[in-house]
Amino acid sequence: MYFSTADLCDENQDKNIQVLSSEFKNYGGLDGFFGQITTIKLNKSNWDLLSMLRDENGAEKIVVVDVDREFYGVVGDKLSLFAERNNYKAIIINGYVRDIKETNKFKIGLVALGTCPLRNFEKTNGERDIELKFGGVTFNSGDFLYADEDGIIVCSEELNSSNLKKRY
């Protein structure tokens, strides 16, 4: 279940709502989703993200990943499966995904700039829970993210949805 981002913006005009650039597209199986953000900055390698999605309960969190638009697939079918199994709602990537014929079968949001079949095999360390900036938005762990077919909005505080109807 999720809320209309347009309705949320109308209902919360007094809040500082940021809108992610429309260049990002959804390659997952959920058209809409919402939850709290956890951030991770990767240095080419997706090993730290793999460990997080595979080994930690996502508790309906949304993982925001920055790889500086490096042109390789960061998330594909395997990481999407881990995310779904461990209760993550979505993954937002400042980069690319792969295996999209499969990723759209998983009940998660998977938002990225596009696709790339190439994967990086180098093992490097990432940083978690740091401020990330891309697509015209500043992301911090603990912020709230809402997404639907109209776009993705982010706010540092939970938006009032008491007068809104949930969508499926």
Side-chain angles (χ1 to χ4, degrees):
M1 292 191 294
Y2 60 99
F3 300 99
S4 160
T5 56
D7 290 347
L8 282 165
C9 287
D10 291 351
E11 188 73 17
N12 294 276
Q13 296 174 29
D14 60 329
K15 304 287 191 313
N16 184 21
I17 296 173
Q18 304 175 80
V19 180
L20 184 65
S21 168
S22 62
E23 67 185 318
F24 290 82
K25 305 296 181 219
N26 190 355
Y27 299 96
L30 286 182
D31 289 331
F33 47 88
F34 66 96
Q36 270 192 294
I37 292 172
T38 186
T39 64
I40 185 168
K41 170 79 171 157
L42 300 178
N43 180 16
K44 296 183 184 176
S45 169
N46 71 354
W47 289 96
D48 285 344
L49 178 62
L50 181 151
S51 297
M52 174 196 296
L53 298 174
R54 182 191 62 208
D55 301 336
E56 298 176 24
N57 183 347
E60 308 222 344
K61 298 268 187 198
I62 295 172
V63 182
V64 176
V65 182
D66 190 2
V67 292
D68 290 327
R69 297 175 170 246
E70 290 281 344
F71 194 55
Y72 58 88
V74 176
V75 173
D77 57 344
K78 291 179 181 131
L79 271 67
S80 293
L81 173 63
F82 293 146
E84 181 183 68
R85 281 187 181 165
N86 282 322
N87 304 310
Y88 288 92
K89 270 300 187 201
I91 307 166
I92 313 294
I93 306 167
N94 187 26
Y96 298 85
V97 295
R98 63 191 216 156
D99 302 317
I100 63 169
K101 189 163 177 85
E102 299 301 316
T103 61
N104 67 13
K105 296 176 183 176
F106 297 100
K107 295 294 181 200
I108 63 166
L110 179 60
V111 177
L113 292 166
T115 63
C116 178
L118 183 64
R119 178 180 155 204
N120 182 294
F121 291 93
E122 183 181 352
K123 282 195 174 187
T124 60
N125 292 323
E127 292 180 83
R128 288 179 64 171
D129 299 319
I130 64 169
E131 182 177 272
L132 302 177
K133 293 181 182 185
F134 61 83
V137 174
T138 300
F139 301 92
N140 286 289
S141 289
D143 287 353
F144 293 86
L145 185 145
Y146 304 81
D148 69 2
E149 302 85 353
D150 285 341
I152 295 175
I153 60 176
V154 176
C155 191
S156 61
E157 57 186 295
E158 189 169 8
L159 298 178
N160 179 11
S161 59
S162 60
N163 296 324
L164 304 179
K165 184 174 88 175
K166 287 185 180 176
R167 299 170 64 197
Y168 288 89

